[in-house]
Amino acid sequence: MMASAGVRRKLNRYTHLYREGAVATCFYVLVGGSVLEHSLDPQWKEPELPPGHRRPKGYRRDQRTLSCSRRPGVKYTLFGMEALVGRPRTRRPSAST
């Protein structure tokens, strides 16, 4: 069902998909590449680190990178799921690679 209504897009680097606070009318399936998400009010929980480990250099709580490899058997990544619950967008993603 989802595949029959979907539209495939290839985005140039730094292209914004939607703005934070915009009305959500669809969601996205990342099948290859990466997307950088920014948020003025981050709502995701920071991943816990094992004892003795530090956050990577350049880590910021207000952004995260979603990525997916284009190899056989690699799973996809869903984002922009606010459309399914009728909420406004909570992040501002842009194409990274």
Side-chain angles (χ1 to χ4, degrees), residues 23-86:
V23 176
T25 58
C26 60
F27 65 93
Y28 295 84
V29 180
L30 180 65
V31 295
S34 60
V35 171
L36 180 64
E37 286 188 325
H38 299 273
S39 178
L40 298 174
D41 182 24
Q43 296 183 4
W44 57 79
K45 184 178 178 185
E46 295 184 50
E48 293 185 23
L49 294 174
H53 286 80
R54 295 181 175 206
R55 301 248 178 248
K57 186 175 182 177
Y59 173 82
R60 292 176 41 185
R61 187 171 185 272
D62 64 341
Q63 71 182 26
R64 67 178 177 174
T65 302
L66 304 172
S67 60
C68 187
S69 178
R70 297 191 83 175
R71 295 179 310 197
V74 175
K75 296 183 179 181
Y76 50 85
T77 302
L78 297 174
F79 66 98
M81 303 299 285
E82 301 93 348
L84 299 178
V85 292

